[in-house]
Amino acid sequence: MKKMEAFVGGFLYWVLLSLILKVGFMLYNLSVYSSVGGIDWLSVLWHGLPLDCSLAGYLSIIPGLSLMVGVWMGNGGEVFRRFYYWLASWIVVILSMLNAVLYGYWRFPLDTTPFFYFFSSPSDALASAGWREYTVLAVLVALLALSAWMTMRRGRRCKSADATPHRMSTTLGLCVLMALLFIPIRGGLTVSTMNTGEVYYSENEALNHAAVNPVFSLMESVSKQEDFGRQYRLMDDAQASSIFQAMTATGSDSTQNILSQSRPDVYIIIMESFSRLVMETGATPCLNRLADEGVFFENFYANSFRTDRGLVAVLSGFPGQPTMSIMKYPAKTRHLPSIARSLRKAGYSAVYYYGGDADFCNQRSYLVSQGYQRIVDDKEFPLRYRLSKWGVPDGPVFGRVEEDVEKGSDKSPALRVIQTSSSHEPFDVPARLNANKRLNAFAYADQQIGQFVSYLRRSGRWQRSLVVLVADHLGAWPENIDNGRLDRFQIPLIITGGAVRSPLKSAVYGSQQDIAATLLGQLGIRHDDFLFSKDLLNPAIPHFAFFTYPDAFGMADADNQLIYDLKAKRILIDQGHRRGKNFLSGKAYLQKLYDVISRL
């Protein structure tokens, strides 16, 4: 009987630990949850209970087997069982802490994303962490070390006991209890199985995220990583194909030509974390001036929420994905279309500049497969420039581009892609331009962009220069912005340079994936292989923005702007004079995106 009580007690221990960690999560992110009442805190615990019980079921399997062995072998397995509880508790607590820390940056429950970043480059993955995160980690490790010492000390004191009486009945009872774990693990006896969407209950996304058990969320994310062809089956294949076909247009036959040069030098500047909203703060005077002087797209969106997704969208015209990063799969990225490869066929050279580690997130593999002949990253700069957490500040990076242009080390016409990084957390830049630390980092990046444009003007190369300025995603401004907002994904796209005939403000809707077709269309280069990319300057084709974040998609055009939560199966935003228009279109688009990924 005592062993059966131990089994039930162990199950309840995991449930209680999950509840405590939920409270800790909300306290750590109190800036997000300070406005909700006590009833909301209790509702988070209540609605999240099914996932907590499911995880407790998984974690109770090994102790249950250990107890069954102990029925026949005495207490010989007690030390192992205690060690298991300590080790599993350590894992659960650390993952929950990681979820709490990352939520302030990403605003979605824990999945495999941070592990992809960490294992590809640990130093870069930890670059955003500050003293608060390291302090919490140090305290946690100390507590867990103390817990380990006390647990193992108690285990050594365990005395051998006689074999449990009533072995058969106890074994049978434990078998029944372990069989009953099927119910919480699966989430009941219905056809559907337990998933994180089961605990989504509120119109407040932050409350839904607090209810999610982060360890279960991670397990679910791992299970989804490879079987892309079965993900997001949202409608009949024939219906999805029909809708998708009407949304694709890979030609530029009717495009509006804005260039005075047929083969200008192309500079694509991918700006870390810039948003449309940061341009309204006064911290980006250079960017605002360039928007007035060039072609400015007023309704432009990032395809996703992280740099690795944004780079692929900009440079390959391939939309970001909600549950995976295609950059993680070199066997697939080598089949993606490429601006660099297309331009090289037209006689361009192609060089990529980045002040950070180009090996982060498989980025180097992706860039090589894209056809860049040289990749200049942090390793090519003197040590004195590499002292910040994200590597070389933007100033020396642009300085290196200027040196290469002056030396004529690349034949003309040339494609040069410059990825900035100074406006990323922790915002440690070598200048004091704004009292706000975040805005100061944006102001520094803006200043360096302005100085580089000034250099092109002075150098005599301005008339043959085409400069494309686009953000990789919205990042640190505004602070604490939720994913479920349209302006969370609105970013600037500016096309400027002496090769641009005249200023233009365009109200057309588009997203990063459309840059490839737009650029190649202006240069008279075919772009049929860019299936998802549309020429923003071709008025004869459909225009819309598509974007994703974990288990959600958004689609916006002049008629309807919509965000749909795939877990909660609920529309978060639906506005415009044709509400609901983009609901089926977005579902079909996402389904066909994963069809293409599965075939790459």
Side-chain angles (χ1 to χ4, degrees):
M1 182 62 70
K2 288 185 177 180
K3 292 189 179 295
M4 295 172 65
E5 291 176 356
F7 179 85
V8 174
F11 179 88
L12 295 177
Y13 163 77
W14 294 120
V15 174
L16 179 60
L17 179 62
S18 294
L19 294 174
I20 293 172
L21 291 172
K22 274 188 174 61
V23 175
F25 169 85
M26 297 179 75
L27 288 173
Y28 187 88
N29 292 283
L30 196 57
S31 61
V32 178
Y33 297 101
S34 58
S35 61
V36 302
I39 297 299
D40 291 315
W41 285 62
L42 292 175
S43 69
V44 163
L45 300 181
W46 173 254
H47 286 280
L49 198 57
L51 279 188
D52 299 334
C53 290
S54 183
L55 178 66
Y58 283 112
L59 294 175
S60 296
I61 294 173
I62 291 179
L65 294 173
S66 177
L67 286 169
M68 290 177 67
V69 171
V71 170
W72 300 92
M73 298 179 61
N75 286 333
E78 184 65 18
V79 172
F80 167 77
R81 195 169 71 89
R82 292 183 183 279
F83 175 75
Y84 169 83
Y85 272 101
W86 168 76
L87 179 62
S89 298
W90 189 336
I91 294 172
V92 168
V93 172
I94 285 183
L95 291 176
S96 298
M97 184 207 72
L98 181 64
N99 178 59
V101 170
L102 291 179
Y103 189 77
Y105 298 108
W106 292 357
R107 296 306 177 92
F108 61 84
L110 185 68
D111 63 7
T112 58
T113 303
F115 299 95
F116 167 46
Y117 294 145
F118 181 81
F119 288 115
S120 63
S121 180
S123 59
D124 282 345
L126 296 174
S128 299
W131 67 268
R132 183 177 178 224
E133 288 80 8
Y134 287 121
T135 301
V136 171
L137 179 62
V139 171
L140 179 64
V141 170
L143 290 174
L144 289 171
L146 178 63
S147 170
W149 178 76
M150 293 178 67
T151 299
M152 300 310 294
R153 186 167 179 264
R154 183 178 179 185
R156 285 195 298 269
R157 288 181 175 179
C158 289
K159 297 180 180 180
S160 298
D162 295 330
T164 303
H166 312 296
R167 289 174 174 175
M168 291 303 298
S169 60
T170 302
T171 301
L172 181 60
L174 287 171
C175 285
V176 171
L177 289 175
M178 290 191 66
L180 289 175
L181 291 178
F182 173 84
I183 297 175
I185 286 175
R186 198 175 186 278
L189 300 174
T190 60
V191 175
S192 63
T193 57
M194 180 58 69
N195 61 83
T196 52
E198 296 284 340
V199 304
Y200 279 52
Y201 72 98
S202 173
E203 292 186 359
N204 184 339
E205 284 292 280
L207 294 178
N208 294 333
H209 295 161
V212 170
N213 187 296
V215 182
F216 187 98
S217 177
L218 177 62
M219 291 165 52
E220 182 181 69
S221 178
V222 169
S223 71
K224 289 183 176 180
Q225 285 304 295
E226 300 295 342
D227 196 2
F228 305 119
R230 296 184 61 184
Q231 294 183 38
Y232 299 117
R233 301 298 91 191
L234 305 174
M235 62 181 66
D236 178 76
D237 285 340
Q239 182 186 15
S241 296
S242 176
I243 296 173
F244 180 73
Q245 187 174 7
M247 301 170 68
T248 57
T250 58
S252 295
D253 297 337
S254 303
T255 194
Q256 174 187 0
N257 191 286
I258 61 171
L259 300 185
S260 59
Q261 300 277 333
S262 61
R263 287 292 182 268
D265 290 329
V266 178
Y267 301 88
I268 300 178
I269 301 176
I270 302 176
M271 305 177 294
E272 171 66 49
S273 299
F274 273 71
S275 69
R276 277 292 308 277
L277 295 174
V278 80
M279 294 177 66
E280 300 172 4
T281 65
T284 60
C286 299
L287 199 63
N288 291 18
R289 185 179 66 251
L290 293 173
D292 291 333
E293 296 174 354
V295 180
F296 180 50
F297 293 89
E298 299 175 311
N299 294 302
F300 195 77
Y301 289 72
N303 275 116
S304 191
F305 65 101
R306 299 302 295 173
T307 300
D308 53 312
R309 273 87 154 174
L311 292 181
V312 175
V314 171
L315 302 177
S316 296
F318 198 80
Q321 309 87 49
T323 59
M324 53 89 72
S325 171
I326 199 168
M327 193 180 280
K328 180 181 177 181
Y329 302 91
K332 292 184 179 292
T333 56
R334 64 189 180 93
H335 296 297
L336 292 176
S338 165
I339 290 177
R341 283 201 305 267
S342 296
L343 290 183
R344 285 188 62 185
K345 291 177 183 177
Y348 279 75
S349 60
V351 185
Y352 197 96
Y353 297 86
Y354 175 44
D357 180 3
D359 293 309
F360 186 46
C361 297
N362 285 348
Q363 186 171 332
R364 187 184 302 276
S365 168
Y366 167 71
L367 294 174
V368 170
S369 71
Q370 287 281 292
Y372 290 92
Q373 295 154 295
R374 284 200 302 128
I375 301 169
V376 179
D377 70 350
D378 59 348
K379 300 177 184 64
E380 296 198 23
F381 290 85
L383 180 61
R384 67 180 184 276
Y385 290 138
R386 291 185 274 154
L387 300 180
S388 70
K389 287 191 174 183
W390 278 101
V392 182
D394 293 342
V397 174
F398 280 111
R400 176 59 183 272
V401 180
E402 294 175 14
E403 290 177 12
D404 286 354
V405 172
E406 287 294 325
K407 292 176 183 176
S409 57
D410 303 304
K411 67 178 182 178
S412 191
L415 166 67
R416 297 181 178 91
V417 180
I418 304 106
Q419 178 185 345
T420 74
S421 60
S422 290
S423 45
H424 195 290
E425 298 98 346
F427 315 113
D428 51 347
V429 297
R432 182 71 171 176
L433 304 170
N434 192 292
N436 182 284
K437 185 176 183 180
R438 294 174 183 240
L439 291 179
N440 183 62
F442 285 109
Y444 170 74
D446 177 76
Q447 179 192 67
Q448 300 310 310
I449 291 169
Q451 290 180 2
F452 177 68
V453 169
S454 296
Y455 159 75
L456 289 178
R457 295 181 191 274
R458 296 192 312 269
S459 69
R461 294 174 173 83
W462 183 246
Q463 291 306 313
R464 68 170 192 254
S465 295
L466 178 63
V467 182
V468 179
L469 296 131
V470 65
D472 57 351
H473 56 82
L474 182 151
W477 192 269
E479 298 183 46
N480 300 320
I481 187 169
D482 291 329
N483 282 327
R485 289 174 45 176
L486 286 169
D487 54 7
R488 172 69 172 82
F489 297 89
Q490 290 178 315
I491 61 172
L493 171 62
I494 302 166
I495 301 177
T496 188
V500 176
R501 283 200 179 101
S502 59
L504 173 69
K505 281 189 168 50
S506 174
V508 69
Y509 279 76
S511 43
Q512 290 167 321
Q513 67 199 51
D514 299 322
I515 292 174
T518 305
L519 174 61
L520 296 175
Q522 288 299 308
L523 299 176
I525 298 173
R526 293 182 64 87
H527 46 86
D528 306 65
D529 52 336
F530 291 82
L531 176 64
F532 293 94
S533 190
K534 308 175 304 301
D535 189 338
L536 293 170
L537 294 167
N538 182 357
I541 61 175
H543 292 293
F544 57 86
F546 177 79
F547 53 91
T548 66
Y549 62 92
D551 283 304
F553 73 80
M555 184 165 280
D557 60 18
D559 299 322
N560 179 225
Q561 303 86 47
L562 180 143
I563 296 179
Y564 181 68
D565 189 317
L566 291 149
K567 280 190 176 179
K569 296 180 174 59
R570 180 168 60 87
I571 294 175
L572 302 179
I573 294 176
D574 187 10
Q575 61 189 43
H577 63 274
R578 293 183 61 187
R579 295 180 63 185
K581 173 199 168 193
N582 288 327
F583 180 56
L584 287 179
S585 298
K587 292 169 76 173
Y589 204 79
L590 180 61
Q591 182 167 317
K592 296 304 294 183
L593 172 61
Y594 273 73
D595 284 345
V596 172
I597 292 172
S598 68
R599 295 194 299 265
L600 286 173

